[in-house]
């Protein structure tokens, strides 16, 4: 969830970092981002789950297992938790309509701001290989719009993409950790991170976290997710690539992405380095 919310697994933070001043305290900013994200997520979770239990258990007399079943099946990619139950909460509040307008307006702004960072990530890649910013932004906007049409048309397709690439963020985050290990965790920490006198000091424990904890955590999470998919989501169809929550649909789509990255990685890297030398 943190890989998604903070943009760490996407590489969004790397994109933001290209616009940061070297005097910015990196560790403080990272802590503020992570802690702020988790606090808001916890508060939102408490509000939503409390609302669901209150309405279904107290008002409608459902048992706890029945309520939990509703939570598990409340719309593809948990869309129902926000779009169904938050309005239910606002109807029971004083000035609920006004709060509902503010809430969904804020939610729209949050979604739009997230979209901006995603578009900037892709645009930055094209700029780095020498394409004009306006052209890059136009290309990214058009391609993103076209690729988003199937998800807008079908909630099943949307849920599949959310499932496949949500898990993939664990893998991409691990690749970022691998890049740090390849550079040298200690060198990265001393030469690139701890360059601000007022920043929080990172010790050698950070090197151990990057080298061992993140890869181990990624393996455990992926194993747990695959076991859950094989036993709960698609118990008898886990090898069917056309089932939205199967293991095979993840492996199939990831293999396509890995193949494309393998084919274009070195070429894009050479072009980017050539542009940097200009």
């Amino acid at each position: 969830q943190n890989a998604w919310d903070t943009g760490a697994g996407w590489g969004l933070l790397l994109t933001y970092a290209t616009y940061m001043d070297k005097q910015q305290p990196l560790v403080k900013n990272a802590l503020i981002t992570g802690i702020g994200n988790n606090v808001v997520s916890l508060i939102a979770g408490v509000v939503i789950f409390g609302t669901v239990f209150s309405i279904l258990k107290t008002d409608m007399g459902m048992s706890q297992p029945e309520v939990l079943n509703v939570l598990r099946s409340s719309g593809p990619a948990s869309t129902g938790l926000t779009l169904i139950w938050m309005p239910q909460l606002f109807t029971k509040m004083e000035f609920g309509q006004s709060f509902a307008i503010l809430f969904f307006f804020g939610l729209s702004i949050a979604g739009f701001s997230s979209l901006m960072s995603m578009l900037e990530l892709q645009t930055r890649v094209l700029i780095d290989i020498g394409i004009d910013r306006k052209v890059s932004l136009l290309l990214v906007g058009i391609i993103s719009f076209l690729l988003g049409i199937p998800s807008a048309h079908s909630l099943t397709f949307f849920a599949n993409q959310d499932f496949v690439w949500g898990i993939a963020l664990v893998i991409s985050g691990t690749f970022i950790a691998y890049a740090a290990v390849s550079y040298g965790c200690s060198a990265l920490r001393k030469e690139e991170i701890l360059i601000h006198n007022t920043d929080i000091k990172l010790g050698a424990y950070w090197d151990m976290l990057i080298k061992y904890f993140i890869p181990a955590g990624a393996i455990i999470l992926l194993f747990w997710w695959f076991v859950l998919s094989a036993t709960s989501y698609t118990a008898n169809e886990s090898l069917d690539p056309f089932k939205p929550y199967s293991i095979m649909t993840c492996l199939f789509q990831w293999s396509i992405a890995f193949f494309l990255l393998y084919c274009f990685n070195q070429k894009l890297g050479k072009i980017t380095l050539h542009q940097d030398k200009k």
Side-chain angles (χ1 to χ4, degrees), residues 67-143:
V67 175
L68 292 174
N69 186 56
V70 170
L71 287 172
R72 292 191 188 99
S73 59
S74 191
S78 299
T79 51
L81 292 178
T82 300
L83 301 179
I84 294 175
W85 298 110
M86 288 307 294
Q88 294 285 341
L89 173 63
F90 291 128
T91 59
K92 297 180 178 296
M93 292 172 54
E94 193 74 26
F95 306 110
Q97 186 174 7
S98 299
F99 281 114
I101 293 172
L102 290 173
F103 173 80
F104 284 106
F105 176 74
L107 188 65
S108 300
I109 296 299
F112 183 72
S113 62
S114 298
L115 178 63
M116 289 175 61
S117 63
M118 296 175 198
L119 294 177
E120 178 60 24
L121 170 62
Q122 302 160 67
T123 302
R124 188 73 242 177
V125 173
L126 296 181
I127 292 173
D128 287 345
I129 63 176
I131 301 177
D132 180 74
R133 181 176 182 83
K134 291 183 179 179
V135 176
S136 300
L137 189 58
L138 182 62
L139 284 173
V140 168
I142 292 173
I143 294 173

